[in-house]
Amino acid sequence: DEIPEPASAQASRSVKAQLEEQFTAISKNPFAWWEPGSEVEIEEPAMFHVLANTTIESGQLFDQSAQIRFRPVGYFWDFSDGGSGHGQSLEHSFAQTGLYRSSAVVEYEVDYKIGSGSWIQNAASWSLSSNQLSIVVIDPPRRTLLVG
């Protein structure tokens, strides 16, 4: 027969380990979008945005009822043209025509509160990726100047 793990061993596990077990699938992924949203011309700036809210979830931590708060604190963008950037919103332009991809990674600080106690801040950090964006970059339309 296996000897059961003592309750004190559960308490000695890190907050991060327990949060990963309990809340990995609960946090909502951030949502990204870009403007103008269909296609953009070479060298014309497009605006990229990501929405990530503070959320509070209920669960178990240290074998007790707890509330876990996910607070977005950092926004990191990666563009398939090799560019990158920081911020909840940012401007980016592309030097060549083609189909590009982009997504944001949002870093969260995780706080927790057991029962009616005080919030314990920065107990762990978490990173979640946004949806992937497709960006079509086109040549500017050719314009003909008629001189009469």
Coordinates of all heavy atoms in Angstrom, one line a residue, residues 20-83:
E20 N -0.7 26.6 -11.2 CA -0.7 26.0 -12.6 C -1.6 24.8 -12.6 O -2.3 24.6 -13.6 CB 0.8 25.5 -12.9 CG 1.7 26.7 -13.2 CD 3.1 26.3 -13.4 OE1 3.5 25.1 -13.1 OE2 3.9 27.2 -13.8
E21 N -1.7 24.0 -11.6 CA -2.6 22.9 -11.6 C -4.1 23.3 -11.6 O -4.9 22.7 -12.3 CB -2.4 22.0 -10.3 CG -1.1 21.2 -10.3 CD -0.9 20.5 -9.0 OE1 -1.8 20.5 -8.1 OE2 0.2 20.0 -8.8
Q22 N -4.4 24.3 -10.9 CA -5.8 24.7 -10.7 C -6.3 25.6 -11.8 O -7.5 25.6 -12.2 CB -6.0 25.4 -9.4 CG -5.8 24.5 -8.2 CD -6.8 23.4 -8.1 OE1 -8.0 23.7 -8.3 NE2 -6.4 22.2 -7.7
F23 N -5.5 26.5 -12.4 CA -6.0 27.7 -13.1 C -5.5 27.8 -14.5 O -5.8 28.8 -15.2 CB -5.8 29.0 -12.4 CG -6.6 29.0 -11.1 CD1 -6.0 28.7 -9.9 CD2 -7.9 29.3 -11.1 CE1 -6.7 28.7 -8.7 CE2 -8.7 29.3 -9.9 CZ -8.0 28.9 -8.7
T24 N -4.8 26.8 -15.0 CA -4.2 27.0 -16.4 C -5.3 27.2 -17.4 O -5.2 28.0 -18.3 CB -3.4 25.7 -16.7 OG1 -2.3 25.7 -15.8 CG2 -2.8 25.8 -18.1
A25 N -6.4 26.4 -17.3 CA -7.4 26.4 -18.4 C -8.5 27.5 -18.1 O -9.4 27.7 -18.9 CB -8.1 25.1 -18.5
I26 N -8.4 28.1 -16.9 CA -9.5 29.1 -16.6 C -9.3 30.5 -17.1 O -10.2 31.1 -17.5 CB -9.6 29.1 -15.0 CG1 -10.2 27.8 -14.5 CG2 -10.6 30.2 -14.6 CD1 -10.3 27.6 -13.1
S27 N -8.1 30.9 -17.2 CA -7.8 32.3 -17.6 C -8.2 32.4 -19.1 O -8.0 31.5 -19.9 CB -6.3 32.6 -17.5 OG -5.9 32.5 -16.2
K28 N -8.8 33.5 -19.4 CA -9.3 33.8 -20.8 C -8.2 34.4 -21.6 O -7.5 35.3 -21.1 CB -10.5 34.8 -20.7 CG -11.7 34.2 -20.0 CD -12.8 35.2 -19.9 CE -14.0 34.6 -19.1 NZ -13.7 34.5 -17.7
N29 N -8.0 33.9 -22.8 CA -6.9 34.4 -23.6 C -7.2 35.8 -24.0 O -8.4 36.2 -24.3 CB -6.7 33.5 -24.9 CG -6.0 32.2 -24.6 OD1 -5.8 31.9 -23.4 ND2 -5.6 31.5 -25.6
P30 N -6.2 36.6 -24.1 CA -6.4 38.0 -24.6 C -6.9 38.0 -26.1 O -6.6 37.1 -26.8 CB -5.0 38.6 -24.5 CG -4.1 37.6 -24.0 CD -4.8 36.3 -23.8
F31 N -7.6 39.1 -26.4 CA -8.1 39.2 -27.8 C -7.4 40.4 -28.5 O -7.3 41.5 -28.0 CB -9.6 39.5 -27.7 CG -10.2 39.7 -29.1 CD1 -10.4 38.7 -29.9 CD2 -10.5 41.0 -29.5 CE1 -10.9 38.8 -31.2 CE2 -11.1 41.2 -30.8 CZ -11.3 40.1 -31.6
A32 N -6.8 40.1 -29.7 CA -6.1 41.0 -30.5 C -6.9 41.4 -31.8 O -7.6 40.5 -32.3 CB -4.7 40.5 -30.8
W33 N -6.7 42.6 -32.2 CA -7.3 43.0 -33.5 C -6.4 44.1 -34.1 O -5.5 44.7 -33.4 CB -8.7 43.5 -33.4 CG -9.0 44.8 -32.7 CD1 -9.2 46.0 -33.3 CD2 -9.0 45.1 -31.3 NE1 -9.3 47.0 -32.4 CE2 -9.2 46.4 -31.2 CE3 -8.8 44.3 -30.2 CZ2 -9.3 47.1 -29.9 CZ3 -8.9 44.9 -28.9 CH2 -9.2 46.3 -28.8
W34 N -6.6 44.4 -35.4 CA -5.8 45.5 -36.0 C -6.7 46.3 -36.9 O -7.8 45.9 -37.3 CB -4.6 44.9 -36.7 CG -4.9 44.2 -38.0 CD1 -5.4 42.9 -38.1 CD2 -4.7 44.6 -39.3 NE1 -5.5 42.6 -39.4 CE2 -5.1 43.6 -40.2 CE3 -4.2 45.8 -39.9 CZ2 -5.0 43.7 -41.6 CZ3 -4.2 45.9 -41.2 CH2 -4.6 44.9 -42.1
E35 N -6.2 47.6 -37.1 CA -7.0 48.5 -38.0 C -6.0 49.0 -39.1 O -4.9 49.2 -38.8 CB -7.4 49.7 -37.1 CG -8.3 49.4 -36.0 CD -8.6 50.6 -35.1 OE1 -7.7 50.9 -34.3 OE2 -9.6 51.2 -35.3
P36 N -6.4 49.0 -40.3 CA -7.8 49.0 -40.7 C -8.5 47.6 -40.8 O -9.7 47.5 -40.9 CB -7.8 49.6 -42.2 CG -6.4 49.2 -42.6 CD -5.5 49.2 -41.4
G37 N -7.8 46.5 -40.7 CA -8.4 45.2 -40.5 C -8.6 44.4 -41.7 O -9.0 43.2 -41.6
S38 N -8.4 44.9 -42.9 CA -8.5 44.0 -44.1 C -7.2 43.9 -44.8 O -6.6 42.9 -44.9 CB -9.6 44.6 -45.0 OG -9.3 45.9 -45.4
E39 N -6.7 45.1 -45.3 CA -5.4 45.1 -45.9 C -4.8 46.5 -45.7 O -5.5 47.4 -45.4 CB -5.4 44.7 -47.4 CG -6.4 45.5 -48.2 CD -6.5 45.0 -49.7 OE1 -6.5 43.8 -49.9 OE2 -6.7 45.9 -50.5
V40 N -3.5 46.6 -45.8 CA -2.8 47.8 -45.6 C -1.7 48.0 -46.7 O -1.2 46.9 -47.2 CB -2.2 47.9 -44.2 CG1 -1.1 46.8 -44.0 CG2 -1.7 49.2 -43.8
E41 N -1.4 49.2 -47.1 CA -0.4 49.4 -48.1 C 1.0 49.4 -47.5 O 1.2 49.6 -46.3 CB -0.6 50.8 -48.7 CG -1.9 50.9 -49.6 CD -2.1 52.2 -50.1 OE1 -1.2 53.1 -50.1 OE2 -3.2 52.5 -50.6
I42 N 2.0 49.1 -48.3 CA 3.4 49.1 -47.9 C 3.7 50.4 -47.2 O 3.3 51.5 -47.7 CB 4.4 48.9 -49.1 CG1 4.2 47.6 -49.7 CG2 5.8 49.2 -48.7 CD1 5.1 47.4 -51.0
E43 N 4.4 50.4 -46.1 CA 4.9 51.6 -45.3 C 3.8 52.4 -44.7 O 4.1 53.4 -44.0 CB 5.8 52.5 -46.2 CG 7.0 51.8 -46.7 CD 8.0 51.3 -45.7 OE1 8.0 51.8 -44.5 OE2 8.8 50.4 -46.0
E44 N 2.5 52.0 -44.9 CA 1.4 52.7 -44.2 C 1.3 52.0 -42.8 O 1.2 50.8 -42.7 CB 0.1 52.5 -45.0 CG 0.1 53.4 -46.2 CD 0.1 54.9 -45.9 OE1 -0.6 55.3 -45.0 OE2 0.8 55.6 -46.6
P45 N 1.3 52.9 -41.8 CA 1.1 52.3 -40.4 C -0.2 51.7 -40.2 O -1.3 52.2 -40.6 CB 1.4 53.5 -39.5 CG 1.2 54.7 -40.3 CD 1.4 54.3 -41.8
A46 N -0.2 50.6 -39.5 CA -1.5 49.9 -39.0 C -1.4 50.0 -37.5 O -0.4 50.0 -36.9 CB -1.6 48.5 -39.6
M47 N -2.6 50.0 -36.9 CA -2.7 50.0 -35.4 C -3.1 48.6 -34.9 O -4.0 48.0 -35.5 CB -3.7 51.0 -34.9 CG -3.3 52.5 -35.1 SD -1.8 52.9 -34.1 CE -2.3 52.5 -32.5
F48 N -2.3 48.1 -34.0 CA -2.6 46.8 -33.4 C -3.0 47.0 -31.9 O -2.3 47.8 -31.2 CB -1.3 46.0 -33.5 CG -1.0 45.6 -34.9 CD1 -0.3 46.5 -35.8 CD2 -1.4 44.4 -35.5 CE1 0.0 46.2 -37.1 CE2 -1.2 44.1 -36.8 CZ -0.5 45.0 -37.6
H49 N -4.0 46.3 -31.5 CA -4.5 46.4 -30.1 C -4.7 45.0 -29.5 O -5.0 44.0 -30.3 CB -5.9 47.1 -30.2 CG -5.9 48.3 -31.0 ND1 -5.5 49.5 -30.5 CD2 -6.3 48.5 -32.2 CE1 -5.7 50.5 -31.4 NE2 -6.2 49.9 -32.5
V50 N -4.6 44.9 -28.2 CA -4.9 43.7 -27.5 C -5.7 44.0 -26.3 O -5.4 45.0 -25.6 CB -3.7 42.8 -27.2 CG1 -2.7 43.6 -26.2 CG2 -4.1 41.5 -26.6
L51 N -6.8 43.3 -26.0 CA -7.7 43.5 -24.9 C -7.4 42.3 -23.9 O -7.5 41.2 -24.3 CB -9.1 43.5 -25.3 CG -10.2 43.6 -24.2 CD1 -10.0 44.9 -23.5 CD2 -11.5 43.4 -24.8
A52 N -7.0 42.7 -22.7 CA -6.8 41.7 -21.6 C -7.3 42.4 -20.3 O -6.8 43.4 -19.9 CB -5.3 41.4 -21.5
N53 N -8.3 41.8 -19.7 CA -8.9 42.3 -18.5 C -8.3 41.6 -17.3 O -7.9 40.5 -17.3 CB -10.4 42.2 -18.5 CG -11.0 43.0 -19.7 OD1 -10.6 44.2 -19.9 ND2 -11.9 42.4 -20.4
T54 N -8.4 42.3 -16.1 CA -8.2 41.7 -14.9 C -9.4 40.8 -14.6 O -10.5 41.2 -14.8 CB -8.1 42.8 -13.7 OG1 -7.0 43.6 -14.0 CG2 -8.0 42.1 -12.4
T55 N -9.1 39.5 -14.2 CA -10.2 38.6 -13.9 C -9.9 38.0 -12.5 O -8.8 37.9 -12.1 CB -10.3 37.5 -14.9 OG1 -9.1 36.8 -15.0 CG2 -10.6 38.0 -16.3
I56 N -11.0 37.6 -11.9 CA -10.9 37.0 -10.6 C -11.7 35.7 -10.7 O -12.8 35.6 -11.1 CB -11.5 37.8 -9.4 CG1 -10.7 39.1 -9.3 CG2 -11.5 37.1 -8.1 CD1 -11.3 40.1 -8.3
E57 N -11.0 34.6 -10.3 CA -11.6 33.2 -10.4 C -11.6 32.6 -9.0 O -10.7 33.0 -8.1 CB -10.7 32.3 -11.3 CG -10.5 32.9 -12.7 CD -11.8 32.9 -13.5 OE1 -12.8 32.2 -13.1 OE2 -11.9 33.6 -14.5
S58 N -12.5 31.8 -8.7 CA -12.6 31.1 -7.4 C -12.1 29.6 -7.6 O -12.2 29.0 -8.6 CB -14.1 31.0 -7.0 OG -14.5 32.3 -6.7
G59 N -11.5 29.1 -6.5 CA -10.9 27.8 -6.6 C -10.3 27.4 -5.3 O -10.7 27.9 -4.2
Q60 N -9.4 26.4 -5.3 CA -8.8 25.9 -4.1 C -7.3 26.2 -4.2 O -6.7 26.1 -5.2 CB -8.9 24.4 -4.0 CG -10.3 23.9 -3.8 CD -10.8 24.2 -2.4 OE1 -11.7 25.0 -2.2 NE2 -10.2 23.6 -1.4
L61 N -6.7 26.6 -3.1 CA -5.3 26.9 -3.0 C -4.9 26.5 -1.6 O -5.6 27.0 -0.6 CB -5.0 28.4 -3.3 CG -3.6 28.8 -3.4 CD1 -2.9 28.0 -4.5 CD2 -3.5 30.3 -3.7
F62 N -3.9 25.7 -1.4 CA -3.5 25.2 -0.1 C -4.6 24.5 0.6 O -4.9 24.6 1.8 CB -3.0 26.4 0.8 CG -1.8 27.1 0.2 CD1 -1.9 28.5 -0.1 CD2 -0.6 26.5 0.0 CE1 -0.8 29.2 -0.6 CE2 0.5 27.2 -0.6 CZ 0.3 28.5 -0.9
D63 N -5.4 23.8 -0.2 CA -6.6 23.0 0.3 C -7.6 23.9 1.0 O -8.4 23.5 1.8 CB -6.2 21.9 1.2 CG -5.5 20.8 0.5 OD1 -5.8 20.6 -0.7 OD2 -4.6 20.1 1.0
Q64 N -7.7 25.2 0.6 CA -8.7 26.1 1.1 C -9.3 26.9 0.0 O -8.8 27.0 -1.1 CB -8.0 27.1 2.1 CG -7.4 26.4 3.3 CD -6.7 27.5 4.2 OE1 -7.3 28.5 4.5 NE2 -5.5 27.2 4.5
S65 N -10.6 27.4 0.2 CA -11.2 28.2 -0.8 C -10.4 29.5 -1.0 O -10.0 30.1 0.0 CB -12.6 28.6 -0.3 OG -13.4 27.4 -0.3
A66 N -10.2 29.8 -2.2 CA -9.4 31.0 -2.5 C -10.0 31.7 -3.7 O -10.7 31.2 -4.5 CB -8.0 30.6 -2.8
Q67 N -9.6 33.0 -3.8 CA -9.9 33.8 -5.0 C -8.5 34.1 -5.7 O -7.5 34.4 -4.9 CB -10.6 35.1 -4.7 CG -12.0 34.8 -4.2 CD -12.9 35.9 -4.5 OE1 -12.6 36.9 -5.0 NE2 -14.2 35.7 -4.2
I68 N -8.4 33.9 -7.0 CA -7.2 34.2 -7.7 C -7.5 35.3 -8.7 O -8.4 35.3 -9.4 CB -6.8 32.9 -8.5 CG1 -6.8 31.6 -7.6 CG2 -5.4 33.1 -9.1 CD1 -5.9 31.6 -6.4
R69 N -6.6 36.3 -8.7 CA -6.8 37.5 -9.5 C -5.6 37.5 -10.5 O -4.4 37.4 -10.2 CB -6.8 38.7 -8.6 CG -6.9 40.0 -9.4 CD -7.1 41.2 -8.5 NE -6.0 41.3 -7.6 CZ -6.1 42.1 -6.5 NH1 -7.1 42.8 -6.2 NH2 -5.0 42.2 -5.7
F70 N -6.0 37.6 -11.8 CA -5.0 37.7 -12.9 C -5.0 39.2 -13.4 O -6.0 39.7 -13.9 CB -5.4 36.8 -14.1 CG -5.4 35.3 -13.7 CD1 -6.6 34.8 -13.1 CD2 -4.3 34.6 -13.9 CE1 -6.6 33.4 -12.8 CE2 -4.3 33.2 -13.5 CZ -5.4 32.6 -13.0
R71 N -3.9 39.9 -13.2 CA -3.8 41.3 -13.6 C -2.8 41.4 -14.8 O -1.6 41.1 -14.6 CB -3.3 42.2 -12.4 CG -4.2 42.3 -11.3 CD -3.7 43.1 -10.2 NE -2.5 42.5 -9.5 CZ -1.3 43.0 -9.6 NH1 -1.0 44.1 -10.2 NH2 -0.3 42.4 -8.9
P72 N -3.3 41.9 -15.9 CA -2.3 42.1 -17.1 C -1.3 43.3 -16.7 O -1.7 44.3 -16.3 CB -3.2 42.5 -18.2 CG -4.5 43.0 -17.6 CD -4.6 42.3 -16.3
V73 N 0.0 43.0 -16.9 CA 1.0 44.0 -16.6 C 2.0 44.2 -17.7 O 2.7 45.2 -17.7 CB 1.8 43.6 -15.3 CG1 0.8 43.6 -14.1 CG2 2.4 42.2 -15.5
G74 N 2.0 43.4 -18.8 CA 2.9 43.6 -19.9 C 2.3 43.1 -21.2 O 1.6 42.1 -21.2
Y75 N 2.6 43.7 -22.3 CA 2.1 43.4 -23.6 C 3.2 43.4 -24.6 O 3.9 44.4 -24.8 CB 1.0 44.4 -24.1 CG 0.0 44.7 -23.1 CD1 0.1 45.6 -22.1 CD2 -1.2 43.9 -23.1 CE1 -0.9 45.8 -21.1 CE2 -2.2 44.1 -22.2 CZ -2.1 45.1 -21.2 OH -3.1 45.3 -20.3
F76 N 3.4 42.2 -25.2 CA 4.6 42.0 -26.1 C 4.1 41.5 -27.5 O 3.3 40.5 -27.5 CB 5.6 41.0 -25.5 CG 6.0 41.4 -24.1 CD1 5.3 40.8 -23.0 CD2 6.9 42.3 -23.9 CE1 5.6 41.1 -21.7 CE2 7.3 42.7 -22.6 CZ 6.6 42.1 -21.5
W77 N 4.4 42.2 -28.5 CA 4.0 41.8 -29.9 C 5.1 41.2 -30.7 O 6.3 41.6 -30.6 CB 3.5 43.1 -30.6 CG 2.2 43.6 -30.1 CD1 2.1 44.5 -29.0 CD2 0.9 43.3 -30.5 NE1 0.7 44.8 -28.9 CE2 0.0 44.0 -29.8 CE3 0.4 42.5 -31.6 CZ2 -1.4 44.0 -29.9 CZ3 -0.9 42.4 -31.7 CH2 -1.8 43.1 -30.9
D78 N 4.7 40.3 -31.5 CA 5.7 39.6 -32.5 C 5.0 39.6 -33.8 O 3.9 39.2 -34.0 CB 5.9 38.2 -32.0 CG 6.9 37.5 -32.9 OD1 7.9 38.1 -33.3 OD2 6.7 36.3 -33.2
F79 N 5.8 40.2 -34.8 CA 5.3 40.2 -36.2 C 6.2 39.3 -37.1 O 7.4 39.2 -36.9 CB 5.5 41.7 -36.7 CG 4.6 42.6 -36.0 CD1 5.0 43.3 -34.9 CD2 3.3 42.8 -36.4 CE1 4.2 44.2 -34.2 CE2 2.4 43.7 -35.7 CZ 2.9 44.4 -34.6
S80 N 5.6 38.7 -38.0 CA 6.3 37.7 -38.9 C 7.3 38.3 -39.8 O 8.1 37.6 -40.5 CB 5.3 36.8 -39.6 OG 4.6 37.5 -40.6
D81 N 7.3 39.7 -39.9 CA 8.3 40.3 -40.7 C 9.6 40.6 -39.9 O 10.5 41.2 -40.4 CB 7.8 41.7 -41.3 CG 7.6 42.7 -40.2 OD1 7.5 42.4 -39.0 OD2 7.5 43.9 -40.6
G82 N 9.6 40.1 -38.7 CA 10.8 40.2 -37.8 C 10.7 41.4 -36.8 O 11.5 41.5 -35.9
G83 N 9.6 42.1 -36.9 CA 9.4 43.2 -36.0 C 8.8 42.8 -34.7 O 8.3 41.7 -34.6

